[in-house]
Amino acid sequence: MRHPKIIIASISLAAAAAIGGGVTAAAATSPSASTLPAASQHAAATVRTTQSTFGGKTETILVTSQGLPLYYYLNDTAAKSAVTGELAAVWPPLTSASPAATGLTGKLAAVMDAHGDQVAYNGHLLYTFVGDQAGQVTGQGVERFFVATPGLTPIAGSSTAGSSTAGSSTAGSPATAGTAPAASSGNGYGY
């Protein structure tokens, strides 16, 4: 198999859709922000922190108000998402015109891009993973996506680059933008 990660993630997406997981094809695959569901575009997203164990380590990570882990994509820039099409179906962007933060030391913002008002933390656009459930991290290291932590260094070109933030990187978190922590297991799939 050439792309076992995409196949596994696609199966997870199909299973989530079959049991009413709330993922809609229009929100995941449409390049137009105007076709996104109203809840995705206008709901206030709250980003908070929680403790999670993955890769044998317990770390503080960013999660949605529902407890879903948040990830950033190494190929993104501070102003533009590189996640489109089938990749966006598996890694839905977190969108909100007015995101709120609880317990964060960095800067949370909304960035207008192809997904609408996508939420960014320290300039890193944020995503969820369809294979995750609340309190579960399964997307770490998959397809160049990594768990967002409070100490995530601001991305070059963001309004927070060069500014200091309270907090520091935890073990296994990226020390600089573009440096990713190791995948969480040795099974070859990154989770």
Side-chain angles (χ1 to χ4, degrees), residues 5 54-57 59 137-147 172 180-191:
K5 295 175 195 169
F54 61 97
K57 297 177 184 165
E59 295 194 44
V137 175
T138 61
Q140 174 69 359
V142 176
E143 299 293 324
R144 299 178 54 92
F145 284 87
F146 296 92
V147 176
S184 62
S185 74
N187 67 8
Y189 294 105
Y191 54 93

Side-chain angles (χ1 to χ4, degrees), residues 16-171:
I19 61 172
V23 177
T24 62
T29 61
S30 174
S32 171
S34 64
T35 61
L36 292 174
S40 294
Q41 274 295 298
H42 303 292
T46 299
V47 177
R48 62 182 177 86
T49 61
T50 192
Q51 293 286 309
S52 184
T53 301
F54 61 97
K57 297 177 184 165
T58 300
E59 295 194 44
T60 301
I61 65 169
L62 305 186
V63 296
T64 65
S65 59
Q66 294 81 27
L68 292 173
L70 291 167
Y71 299 86
Y72 66 96
Y73 187 51
L74 286 182
N75 294 359
D76 282 348
T77 68
K80 184 176 180 188
S81 172
V83 178
T84 60
E86 290 181 19
L87 193 58
V90 178
W91 297 93
L94 180 64
T95 59
S96 175
S98 56
T102 302
L104 301 182
T105 56
K107 181 179 179 184
L108 195 64
V111 175
M112 180 56 81
D113 69 359
H115 303 294
D117 289 312
Q118 187 166 354
V119 179
Y121 180 71
N122 283 348
H124 296 272
L125 300 171
L126 298 176
Y127 304 86
T128 58
F129 179 53
V130 297
D132 285 344
Q133 295 178 5
Q136 175 188 48
V137 175
T138 61
Q140 174 69 359
V142 176
E143 299 293 324
R144 299 178 54 92
F145 284 87
F146 296 92
V147 176
T149 62
L152 189 59
T153 302
I155 194 170
S158 74
S159 62
T160 58
S163 65
S164 63
T165 58
S168 61
S169 292
T170 58

